[in-house]
Amino acid sequence: MAESNGNSETQFQIPKIKFTKLFINGEFVDSVSGNTFETIDPRNEEVIARISEGDKEDVDLAVKAAREAFDNGPWPRLSPSERRRIMLKFADLIVENAEEIAALDAMDAGKLFAPVKNMDIPAAAEVIRYYAGAADKIHGTTLKMSRELQGYTLLEPIGVVGHIIPWNFPTQMFIMKVGPALAAGCTMIVKPAEQTPLSALYYAQLAKQAGVPDGVINVVTGFGSTAGAALCSHMDVDKISFTGSTEVGRLVMQAAALSNLKPVSLELGGKSPFIVFDDVDVDKIAPLALVGILYNKGEICVAGSRLFIQEGIYDKFVKKLEEMAKTWVVGDPFDPNSHQGPQVDKKQYERVLSYIEHGKREGAKLLTGGNALDRKGYFIEPTIFIDVEDDMTIAKEEIFGPVLAVMKFKTVEEVIKRANCTNYGLAAGVMTNDLNIANTVSRSIRAGVIWINCYFAFDPDCPYGGYKCSGFERDLGMEGLHKYLQVKSVATPIYNSPWL
Ligand SMILES: NC(=O)C1=CN([C@@H]2O[C@H](COP(=O)(O)OP(=O)(O)OC[C@H]3O[C@@H](n4cnc5c(N)ncnc54)[C@H](OP(=O)(O)O)[C@@H]3O)[C@@H](O)[C@H]2O)C=CC1
Ligand SMILES: CCCCCC/C=C/C(=O)O
């Protein structure tokens, strides 16, 4: 591993933080209590800004605004083409402001500034455009009734949506949830993670600038156990769309069940297998495997955190991983030379380091890394364990950091069984040139996303979500739109029709 000492401030002018208050009914407002909390820069552990701390009373106000906007406001009643026009304007504004937003995500979450600015934010704008294009193609079906009835279905917006989002992809999470809900004609309250509130507030005012009416998008910054919980148990919220830990996913379902039985969608944790067969080109696939775990410092729920390598190429592949990890640069996310920034906060940093200690204690062999960087900030070395056993903690639990568990396998049947031996089922990578193996493995793995000879192949049209304890329902694609719609069946008697 190499360390970057680049000084970000000389390369980029850090923007002034413009928005720190709750966004309710189209206005930035203080929380009812007047309380605030600190958002911390993981590069240096310094306070970036104080943010309004929303609680139950603020959630009530935000839900009231969203309810009014849904029940009586223009958004659900606008012609779909007008909704599309406003969403396209929103997408354009996102791209125009990419540099400033990227800086917010880099400071708040420790994400790499240049890729966020040049790729993630333009890709997020594309997600808005994708759903803008869908806004006027939402329709039900004509039913073939079995007696003298004329029947059809309508797809109607589900109503007021609560989006609870995590800190690892503040931009994409906001856009993946808000985009389809807007296209469906819903109104909403977003509760960003306490670690990363800045870009959500920025997006809310861009949406207003684009013409999204007041009350349609509300942002309540604050804590999960207060603001998040209040949203989940609110009687006037019609749907919760949650991304985060499996543990909190259970609480979200409980709160929904105990309040108004609102439907929930959950996108939760993972422990995804990245499976490499003997026939691959090691020089091509080893870099993919490394990025599969180190991208976004391992803070991605689909990280390829269990690397299964077939025995014939195991030694060569491991050697290649070791060489590449040595040139992997950890450092300031504003430095264009950095490949990896700091973990998002102290809690995650300590959690990842404690998993590394587990790995060492349980007898896995450390190939690279294994330590924090000796500097301020939450930086951790890219850490690769080899000779990992399936029942070790580092092979079973989601670490959400730059820590890879490498395992050897012999046969297709064996690796399918071992890959499936997890409570999670989010994603899997299958690397082989043999079409039969690719087909067998991709159909046998119980996961919501399978990437064959690629990894992190996200696309606006490609649904994304999990099996088993990784959750249910999907973000992105048309499935990601339909979760914000509900089906109404309409039937009427039909007389004197020549056919049924
Ligand atoms: N699937 C994914 O993409 C993610 C998975 N994770 C996994 O979860 C682990 C822990 O991360 P953590 O940040 O604690 O994840 P959480 O599940 O706690 O956080 C996700 C979101 O849920 C909110 N939240 C927390 N408690 C409640 C509650 N009772 N009711 C409603 N909302 C709530 C959080 O609020 P707040 O943070 O503001 O308190 C945040 O906005 C990670 O190490 C990782 O393994 C984490 C993030 C994303
Ligand atoms: C079209 C871009 C989608 C990016 C999705 C990133 C998801 C991350 C996660 O769930 O952890």
Side-chain angles (χ1 to χ4, degrees), residues 275-307:
I275 306 169
V276 187
F277 288 91
D278 275 347
D279 65 342
V280 303
D281 177 346
V282 171
D283 290 334
K284 265 199 197 150
I285 300 299
L288 196 58
L290 195 71
V291 170
I293 184 64
L294 298 182
Y295 172 59
N296 203 45
K297 348 134 203 179
E299 291 173 348
I300 178 161
C301 52
V302 284
S305 51
R306 289 185 296 150
L307 175 58

PDB file of all heavy atoms in Angstrom, residues 275-307:
ATOM      1  N   ILE A 275     -16.427 -15.299  -7.364  1.00  0.00           N
ATOM      2  CA  ILE A 275     -15.938 -16.665  -7.638  1.00  0.00           C
ATOM      3  C   ILE A 275     -15.094 -16.665  -8.912  1.00  0.00           C
ATOM      4  O   ILE A 275     -15.563 -16.237  -9.977  1.00  0.00           O
ATOM      5  CB  ILE A 275     -17.132 -17.630  -7.800  1.00  0.00           C
ATOM      6  CG1 ILE A 275     -18.049 -17.530  -6.570  1.00  0.00           C
ATOM      7  CG2 ILE A 275     -16.654 -19.056  -8.013  1.00  0.00           C
ATOM      8  CD1 ILE A 275     -19.385 -18.232  -6.741  1.00  0.00           C
ATOM      9  N   VAL A 276     -13.866 -17.162  -8.788  1.00  0.00           N
ATOM     10  CA  VAL A 276     -12.946 -17.146  -9.928  1.00  0.00           C
ATOM     11  C   VAL A 276     -12.577 -18.586 -10.306  1.00  0.00           C
ATOM     12  O   VAL A 276     -12.036 -19.323  -9.473  1.00  0.00           O
ATOM     13  CB  VAL A 276     -11.656 -16.378  -9.578  1.00  0.00           C
ATOM     14  CG1 VAL A 276     -10.781 -16.222 -10.807  1.00  0.00           C
ATOM     15  CG2 VAL A 276     -11.978 -15.012  -8.983  1.00  0.00           C
ATOM     16  N   PHE A 277     -12.876 -18.959 -11.536  1.00  0.00           N
ATOM     17  CA  PHE A 277     -12.552 -20.315 -12.002  1.00  0.00           C
ATOM     18  C   PHE A 277     -11.179 -20.331 -12.684  1.00  0.00           C
ATOM     19  O   PHE A 277     -10.679 -19.294 -13.137  1.00  0.00           O
ATOM     20  CB  PHE A 277     -13.669 -20.815 -12.929  1.00  0.00           C
ATOM     21  CG  PHE A 277     -14.933 -21.134 -12.165  1.00  0.00           C
ATOM     22  CD1 PHE A 277     -15.913 -20.173 -11.971  1.00  0.00           C
ATOM     23  CD2 PHE A 277     -15.114 -22.390 -11.581  1.00  0.00           C
ATOM     24  CE1 PHE A 277     -17.057 -20.448 -11.234  1.00  0.00           C
ATOM     25  CE2 PHE A 277     -16.251 -22.672 -10.835  1.00  0.00           C
ATOM     26  CZ  PHE A 277     -17.227 -21.699 -10.660  1.00  0.00           C
ATOM     27  N   ASP A 278     -10.639 -21.551 -12.764  1.00  0.00           N
ATOM     28  CA  ASP A 278      -9.273 -21.757 -13.271  1.00  0.00           C
ATOM     29  C   ASP A 278      -9.007 -21.183 -14.662  1.00  0.00           C
ATOM     30  O   ASP A 278      -7.858 -20.879 -14.996  1.00  0.00           O
ATOM     31  CB  ASP A 278      -9.006 -23.275 -13.381  1.00  0.00           C
ATOM     32  CG  ASP A 278      -8.527 -23.856 -12.051  1.00  0.00           C
ATOM     33  OD1 ASP A 278      -8.171 -23.062 -11.164  1.00  0.00           O
ATOM     34  OD2 ASP A 278      -8.532 -25.097 -11.908  1.00  0.00           O
ATOM     35  N   ASP A 279     -10.065 -21.082 -15.497  1.00  0.00           N
ATOM     36  CA  ASP A 279      -9.827 -20.750 -16.910  1.00  0.00           C
ATOM     37  C   ASP A 279      -9.682 -19.248 -17.177  1.00  0.00           C
ATOM     38  O   ASP A 279      -9.542 -18.842 -18.326  1.00  0.00           O
ATOM     39  CB  ASP A 279     -10.968 -21.321 -17.773  1.00  0.00           C
ATOM     40  CG  ASP A 279     -12.309 -20.674 -17.461  1.00  0.00           C
ATOM     41  OD1 ASP A 279     -12.435 -20.064 -16.380  1.00  0.00           O
ATOM     42  OD2 ASP A 279     -13.221 -20.757 -18.295  1.00  0.00           O
ATOM     43  N   VAL A 280      -9.707 -18.401 -16.149  1.00  0.00           N
ATOM     44  CA  VAL A 280      -9.683 -16.955 -16.430  1.00  0.00           C
ATOM     45  C   VAL A 280      -8.266 -16.443 -16.668  1.00  0.00           C
ATOM     46  O   VAL A 280      -7.291 -17.101 -16.301  1.00  0.00           O
ATOM     47  CB  VAL A 280     -10.303 -16.132 -15.269  1.00  0.00           C
ATOM     48  CG1 VAL A 280     -11.719 -16.556 -14.980  1.00  0.00           C
ATOM     49  CG2 VAL A 280      -9.429 -16.177 -14.008  1.00  0.00           C
ATOM     50  N   ASP A 281      -8.197 -15.262 -17.256  1.00  0.00           N
ATOM     51  CA  ASP A 281      -6.925 -14.563 -17.395  1.00  0.00           C
ATOM     52  C   ASP A 281      -6.673 -13.843 -16.057  1.00  0.00           C
ATOM     53  O   ASP A 281      -7.360 -12.867 -15.726  1.00  0.00           O
ATOM     54  CB  ASP A 281      -7.060 -13.576 -18.569  1.00  0.00           C
ATOM     55  CG  ASP A 281      -5.810 -12.733 -18.770  1.00  0.00           C
ATOM     56  OD1 ASP A 281      -4.954 -12.712 -17.847  1.00  0.00           O
ATOM     57  OD2 ASP A 281      -5.694 -12.093 -19.831  1.00  0.00           O
ATOM     58  N   VAL A 282      -5.695 -14.310 -15.321  1.00  0.00           N
ATOM     59  CA  VAL A 282      -5.450 -13.776 -13.972  1.00  0.00           C
ATOM     60  C   VAL A 282      -5.165 -12.274 -14.007  1.00  0.00           C
ATOM     61  O   VAL A 282      -5.649 -11.509 -13.159  1.00  0.00           O
ATOM     62  CB  VAL A 282      -4.280 -14.553 -13.305  1.00  0.00           C
ATOM     63  CG1 VAL A 282      -3.849 -13.895 -12.002  1.00  0.00           C
ATOM     64  CG2 VAL A 282      -4.688 -15.999 -13.071  1.00  0.00           C
ATOM     65  N   ASP A 283      -4.411 -11.835 -15.025  1.00  0.00           N
ATOM     66  CA  ASP A 283      -4.060 -10.412 -15.093  1.00  0.00           C
ATOM     67  C   ASP A 283      -5.282  -9.523 -15.293  1.00  0.00           C
ATOM     68  O   ASP A 283      -5.266  -8.344 -14.958  1.00  0.00           O
ATOM     69  CB  ASP A 283      -3.052 -10.157 -16.219  1.00  0.00           C
ATOM     70  CG  ASP A 283      -1.698 -10.759 -15.864  1.00  0.00           C
ATOM     71  OD1 ASP A 283      -1.410 -10.898 -14.653  1.00  0.00           O
ATOM     72  OD2 ASP A 283      -0.948 -11.105 -16.797  1.00  0.00           O
ATOM     73  N   LYS A 284      -6.326 -10.096 -15.869  1.00  0.00           N
ATOM     74  CA  LYS A 284      -7.547  -9.305 -16.086  1.00  0.00           C
ATOM     75  C   LYS A 284      -8.466  -9.355 -14.876  1.00  0.00           C
ATOM     76  O   LYS A 284      -9.094  -8.361 -14.510  1.00  0.00           O
ATOM     77  CB  LYS A 284      -8.326  -9.892 -17.281  1.00  0.00           C
ATOM     78  CG  LYS A 284      -8.053  -9.225 -18.578  1.00  0.00           C
ATOM     79  CD  LYS A 284      -9.180  -9.558 -19.539  1.00  0.00           C
ATOM     80  CE  LYS A 284      -8.759  -9.270 -20.956  1.00  0.00           C
ATOM     81  NZ  LYS A 284      -9.429 -10.152 -21.886  1.00  0.00           N
ATOM     82  N   ILE A 285      -8.590 -10.528 -14.274  1.00  0.00           N
ATOM     83  CA  ILE A 285      -9.619 -10.701 -13.231  1.00  0.00           C
ATOM     84  C   ILE A 285      -9.110 -10.280 -11.845  1.00  0.00           C
ATOM     85  O   ILE A 285      -9.896  -9.795 -11.026  1.00  0.00           O
ATOM     86  CB  ILE A 285     -10.143 -12.158 -13.233  1.00  0.00           C
ATOM     87  CG1 ILE A 285     -10.764 -12.474 -14.604  1.00  0.00           C
ATOM     88  CG2 ILE A 285     -11.161 -12.389 -12.128  1.00  0.00           C
ATOM     89  CD1 ILE A 285     -11.953 -11.614 -15.000  1.00  0.00           C
ATOM     90  N   ALA A 286      -7.810 -10.424 -11.592  1.00  0.00           N
ATOM     91  CA  ALA A 286      -7.318 -10.030 -10.253  1.00  0.00           C
ATOM     92  C   ALA A 286      -7.583  -8.544  -9.961  1.00  0.00           C
ATOM     93  O   ALA A 286      -8.047  -8.214  -8.860  1.00  0.00           O
ATOM     94  CB  ALA A 286      -5.843 -10.378 -10.107  1.00  0.00           C
ATOM     95  N   PRO A 287      -7.352  -7.619 -10.921  1.00  0.00           N
ATOM     96  CA  PRO A 287      -7.680  -6.218 -10.626  1.00  0.00           C
ATOM     97  C   PRO A 287      -9.167  -6.017 -10.316  1.00  0.00           C
ATOM     98  O   PRO A 287      -9.531  -5.219  -9.454  1.00  0.00           O
ATOM     99  CB  PRO A 287      -7.299  -5.472 -11.915  1.00  0.00           C
ATOM    100  CG  PRO A 287      -6.337  -6.363 -12.614  1.00  0.00           C
ATOM    101  CD  PRO A 287      -6.677  -7.773 -12.231  1.00  0.00           C
ATOM    102  N   LEU A 288     -10.007  -6.791 -11.001  1.00  0.00           N
ATOM    103  CA  LEU A 288     -11.451  -6.674 -10.758  1.00  0.00           C
ATOM    104  C   LEU A 288     -11.798  -7.161  -9.347  1.00  0.00           C
ATOM    105  O   LEU A 288     -12.626  -6.568  -8.652  1.00  0.00           O
ATOM    106  CB  LEU A 288     -12.185  -7.522 -11.812  1.00  0.00           C
ATOM    107  CG  LEU A 288     -13.673  -7.287 -12.003  1.00  0.00           C
ATOM    108  CD1 LEU A 288     -13.967  -5.839 -12.370  1.00  0.00           C
ATOM    109  CD2 LEU A 288     -14.215  -8.221 -13.098  1.00  0.00           C
ATOM    110  N   ALA A 289     -11.146  -8.241  -8.948  1.00  0.00           N
ATOM    111  CA  ALA A 289     -11.397  -8.777  -7.597  1.00  0.00           C
ATOM    112  C   ALA A 289     -10.952  -7.768  -6.530  1.00  0.00           C
ATOM    113  O   ALA A 289     -11.625  -7.592  -5.511  1.00  0.00           O
ATOM    114  CB  ALA A 289     -10.657 -10.098  -7.415  1.00  0.00           C
ATOM    115  N   LEU A 290      -9.832  -7.104  -6.797  1.00  0.00           N
ATOM    116  CA  LEU A 290      -9.331  -6.131  -5.810  1.00  0.00           C
ATOM    117  C   LEU A 290     -10.282  -4.935  -5.707  1.00  0.00           C
ATOM    118  O   LEU A 290     -10.656  -4.514  -4.604  1.00  0.00           O
ATOM    119  CB  LEU A 290      -7.924  -5.659  -6.196  1.00  0.00           C
ATOM    120  CG  LEU A 290      -7.186  -4.941  -5.074  1.00  0.00           C
ATOM    121  CD1 LEU A 290      -6.774  -5.927  -3.983  1.00  0.00           C
ATOM    122  CD2 LEU A 290      -5.962  -4.200  -5.592  1.00  0.00           C
ATOM    123  N   VAL A 291     -10.706  -4.426  -6.868  1.00  0.00           N
ATOM    124  CA  VAL A 291     -11.663  -3.314  -6.857  1.00  0.00           C
ATOM    125  C   VAL A 291     -12.987  -3.782  -6.252  1.00  0.00           C
ATOM    126  O   VAL A 291     -13.677  -3.028  -5.553  1.00  0.00           O
ATOM    127  CB  VAL A 291     -11.848  -2.757  -8.292  1.00  0.00           C
ATOM    128  CG1 VAL A 291     -13.003  -1.770  -8.347  1.00  0.00           C
ATOM    129  CG2 VAL A 291     -10.572  -2.078  -8.748  1.00  0.00           C
ATOM    130  N   GLY A 292     -13.310  -5.042  -6.466  1.00  0.00           N
ATOM    131  CA  GLY A 292     -14.548  -5.617  -5.916  1.00  0.00           C
ATOM    132  C   GLY A 292     -14.649  -5.481  -4.410  1.00  0.00           C
ATOM    133  O   GLY A 292     -15.748  -5.430  -3.857  1.00  0.00           O
ATOM    134  N   ILE A 293     -13.516  -5.419  -3.733  1.00  0.00           N
ATOM    135  CA  ILE A 293     -13.555  -5.232  -2.285  1.00  0.00           C
ATOM    136  C   ILE A 293     -13.156  -3.802  -1.887  1.00  0.00           C
ATOM    137  O   ILE A 293     -13.691  -3.255  -0.919  1.00  0.00           O
ATOM    138  CB  ILE A 293     -12.679  -6.273  -1.520  1.00  0.00           C
ATOM    139  CG1 ILE A 293     -12.850  -6.088  -0.009  1.00  0.00           C
ATOM    140  CG2 ILE A 293     -11.219  -6.214  -1.925  1.00  0.00           C
ATOM    141  CD1 ILE A 293     -14.218  -6.356   0.501  1.00  0.00           C
ATOM    142  N   LEU A 294     -12.254  -3.174  -2.638  1.00  0.00           N
ATOM    143  CA  LEU A 294     -11.727  -1.884  -2.150  1.00  0.00           C
ATOM    144  C   LEU A 294     -12.490  -0.660  -2.647  1.00  0.00           C
ATOM    145  O   LEU A 294     -12.313   0.437  -2.108  1.00  0.00           O
ATOM    146  CB  LEU A 294     -10.251  -1.744  -2.528  1.00  0.00           C
ATOM    147  CG  LEU A 294      -9.317  -2.801  -1.925  1.00  0.00           C
ATOM    148  CD1 LEU A 294      -7.870  -2.518  -2.333  1.00  0.00           C
ATOM    149  CD2 LEU A 294      -9.436  -2.843  -0.405  1.00  0.00           C
ATOM    150  N   TYR A 295     -13.331  -0.842  -3.668  1.00  0.00           N
ATOM    151  CA  TYR A 295     -14.091   0.296  -4.176  1.00  0.00           C
ATOM    152  C   TYR A 295     -14.872   0.953  -3.036  1.00  0.00           C
ATOM    153  O   TYR A 295     -15.490   0.276  -2.230  1.00  0.00           O
ATOM    154  CB  TYR A 295     -15.049  -0.186  -5.276  1.00  0.00           C
ATOM    155  CG  TYR A 295     -16.032   0.854  -5.748  1.00  0.00           C
ATOM    156  CD1 TYR A 295     -15.598   2.059  -6.302  1.00  0.00           C
ATOM    157  CD2 TYR A 295     -17.403   0.643  -5.635  1.00  0.00           C
ATOM    158  CE1 TYR A 295     -16.501   3.012  -6.730  1.00  0.00           C
ATOM    159  CE2 TYR A 295     -18.315   1.591  -6.063  1.00  0.00           C
ATOM    160  CZ  TYR A 295     -17.857   2.773  -6.612  1.00  0.00           C
ATOM    161  OH  TYR A 295     -18.761   3.720  -7.026  1.00  0.00           O
ATOM    162  N   ASN A 296     -14.815   2.265  -2.980  1.00  0.00           N
ATOM    163  CA  ASN A 296     -15.516   3.018  -1.920  1.00  0.00           C
ATOM    164  C   ASN A 296     -15.093   2.531  -0.535  1.00  0.00           C
ATOM    165  O   ASN A 296     -15.901   2.454   0.374  1.00  0.00           O
ATOM    166  CB  ASN A 296     -17.029   2.928  -2.097  1.00  0.00           C
ATOM    167  CG  ASN A 296     -17.757   4.081  -1.440  1.00  0.00           C
ATOM    168  OD1 ASN A 296     -17.366   5.231  -1.576  1.00  0.00           O
ATOM    169  ND2 ASN A 296     -18.797   3.772  -0.698  1.00  0.00           N
ATOM    170  N   LYS A 297     -13.822   2.172  -0.385  1.00  0.00           N
ATOM    171  CA  LYS A 297     -13.191   1.665   0.872  1.00  0.00           C
ATOM    172  C   LYS A 297     -13.935   0.474   1.440  1.00  0.00           C
ATOM    173  O   LYS A 297     -13.984   0.251   2.644  1.00  0.00           O
ATOM    174  CB  LYS A 297     -13.064   2.744   1.936  1.00  0.00           C
ATOM    175  CG  LYS A 297     -13.300   4.161   1.502  1.00  0.00           C
ATOM    176  CD  LYS A 297     -14.197   4.875   2.459  1.00  0.00           C
ATOM    177  CE  LYS A 297     -14.914   6.043   1.913  1.00  0.00           C
ATOM    178  NZ  LYS A 297     -15.788   6.667   2.879  1.00  0.00           N
ATOM    179  N   GLY A 298     -14.552  -0.295   0.574  1.00  0.00           N
ATOM    180  CA  GLY A 298     -15.292  -1.482   1.034  1.00  0.00           C
ATOM    181  C   GLY A 298     -16.648  -1.146   1.605  1.00  0.00           C
ATOM    182  O   GLY A 298     -17.373  -2.026   2.050  1.00  0.00           O
ATOM    183  N   GLU A 299     -17.014   0.145   1.580  1.00  0.00           N
ATOM    184  CA  GLU A 299     -18.306   0.561   2.129  1.00  0.00           C
ATOM    185  C   GLU A 299     -19.372   0.494   1.038  1.00  0.00           C
ATOM    186  O   GLU A 299     -19.890   1.511   0.573  1.00  0.00           O
ATOM    187  CB  GLU A 299     -18.198   1.982   2.696  1.00  0.00           C
ATOM    188  CG  GLU A 299     -17.344   2.044   3.949  1.00  0.00           C
ATOM    189  CD  GLU A 299     -17.073   3.472   4.428  1.00  0.00           C
ATOM    190  OE1 GLU A 299     -17.348   4.420   3.672  1.00  0.00           O
ATOM    191  OE2 GLU A 299     -16.568   3.629   5.542  1.00  0.00           O
ATOM    192  N   ILE A 300     -19.657  -0.713   0.621  1.00  0.00           N
ATOM    193  CA  ILE A 300     -20.708  -0.914  -0.379  1.00  0.00           C
ATOM    194  C   ILE A 300     -21.314  -2.282  -0.091  1.00  0.00           C
ATOM    195  O   ILE A 300     -20.590  -3.252   0.149  1.00  0.00           O
ATOM    196  CB  ILE A 300     -20.163  -0.782  -1.822  1.00  0.00           C
ATOM    197  CG1 ILE A 300     -21.272  -1.048  -2.843  1.00  0.00           C
ATOM    198  CG2 ILE A 300     -18.961  -1.668  -2.087  1.00  0.00           C
ATOM    199  CD1 ILE A 300     -20.973  -0.516  -4.245  1.00  0.00           C
ATOM    200  N   CYS A 301     -22.636  -2.334  -0.113  1.00  0.00           N
ATOM    201  CA  CYS A 301     -23.271  -3.570   0.377  1.00  0.00           C
ATOM    202  C   CYS A 301     -23.030  -4.751  -0.550  1.00  0.00           C
ATOM    203  O   CYS A 301     -23.147  -5.886  -0.121  1.00  0.00           O
ATOM    204  CB  CYS A 301     -24.747  -3.351   0.627  1.00  0.00           C
ATOM    205  SG  CYS A 301     -25.547  -2.642  -0.780  1.00  0.00           S
ATOM    206  N   VAL A 302     -22.672  -4.494  -1.824  1.00  0.00           N
ATOM    207  CA  VAL A 302     -22.398  -5.594  -2.744  1.00  0.00           C
ATOM    208  C   VAL A 302     -20.898  -5.894  -2.862  1.00  0.00           C
ATOM    209  O   VAL A 302     -20.475  -6.572  -3.808  1.00  0.00           O
ATOM    210  CB  VAL A 302     -22.972  -5.310  -4.145  1.00  0.00           C
ATOM    211  CG1 VAL A 302     -24.466  -5.508  -4.162  1.00  0.00           C
ATOM    212  CG2 VAL A 302     -22.607  -3.908  -4.611  1.00  0.00           C
ATOM    213  N   ALA A 303     -20.086  -5.409  -1.944  1.00  0.00           N
ATOM    214  CA  ALA A 303     -18.632  -5.677  -2.010  1.00  0.00           C
ATOM    215  C   ALA A 303     -18.396  -7.181  -2.181  1.00  0.00           C
ATOM    216  O   ALA A 303     -19.044  -7.995  -1.527  1.00  0.00           O
ATOM    217  CB  ALA A 303     -17.972  -5.188  -0.726  1.00  0.00           C
ATOM    218  N   GLY A 304     -17.455  -7.519  -3.041  1.00  0.00           N
ATOM    219  CA  GLY A 304     -17.109  -8.939  -3.231  1.00  0.00           C
ATOM    220  C   GLY A 304     -16.176  -9.363  -2.108  1.00  0.00           C
ATOM    221  O   GLY A 304     -14.976  -9.552  -2.320  1.00  0.00           O
ATOM    222  N   SER A 305     -16.739  -9.529  -0.920  1.00  0.00           N
ATOM    223  CA  SER A 305     -15.910  -9.658   0.289  1.00  0.00           C
ATOM    224  C   SER A 305     -15.446 -11.088   0.558  1.00  0.00           C
ATOM    225  O   SER A 305     -14.558 -11.305   1.367  1.00  0.00           O
ATOM    226  CB  SER A 305     -16.675  -9.107   1.499  1.00  0.00           C
ATOM    227  OG  SER A 305     -17.963  -9.675   1.554  1.00  0.00           O
ATOM    228  N   ARG A 306     -16.077 -12.073  -0.124  1.00  0.00           N
ATOM    229  CA  ARG A 306     -15.580 -13.458  -0.019  1.00  0.00           C
ATOM    230  C   ARG A 306     -15.048 -13.841  -1.394  1.00  0.00           C
ATOM    231  O   ARG A 306     -15.821 -14.047  -2.333  1.00  0.00           O
ATOM    232  CB  ARG A 306     -16.720 -14.405   0.368  1.00  0.00           C
ATOM    233  CG  ARG A 306     -17.181 -14.232   1.800  1.00  0.00           C
ATOM    234  CD  ARG A 306     -18.234 -15.284   2.154  1.00  0.00           C
ATOM    235  NE  ARG A 306     -19.439 -15.142   1.387  1.00  0.00           N
ATOM    236  CZ  ARG A 306     -20.235 -16.149   1.057  1.00  0.00           C
ATOM    237  NH1 ARG A 306     -19.944 -17.383   1.405  1.00  0.00           N
ATOM    238  NH2 ARG A 306     -21.346 -15.934   0.375  1.00  0.00           N
ATOM    239  N   LEU A 307     -13.744 -13.922  -1.512  1.00  0.00           N
ATOM    240  CA  LEU A 307     -13.139 -14.253  -2.814  1.00  0.00           C
ATOM    241  C   LEU A 307     -12.808 -15.736  -2.848  1.00  0.00           C
ATOM    242  O   LEU A 307     -11.939 -16.207  -2.117  1.00  0.00           O
ATOM    243  CB  LEU A 307     -11.869 -13.403  -3.014  1.00  0.00           C
ATOM    244  CG  LEU A 307     -11.043 -13.692  -4.260  1.00  0.00           C
ATOM    245  CD1 LEU A 307     -11.856 -13.526  -5.534  1.00  0.00           C
ATOM    246  CD2 LEU A 307      -9.817 -12.757  -4.306  1.00  0.00           C
TER     247      LEU A 307
END
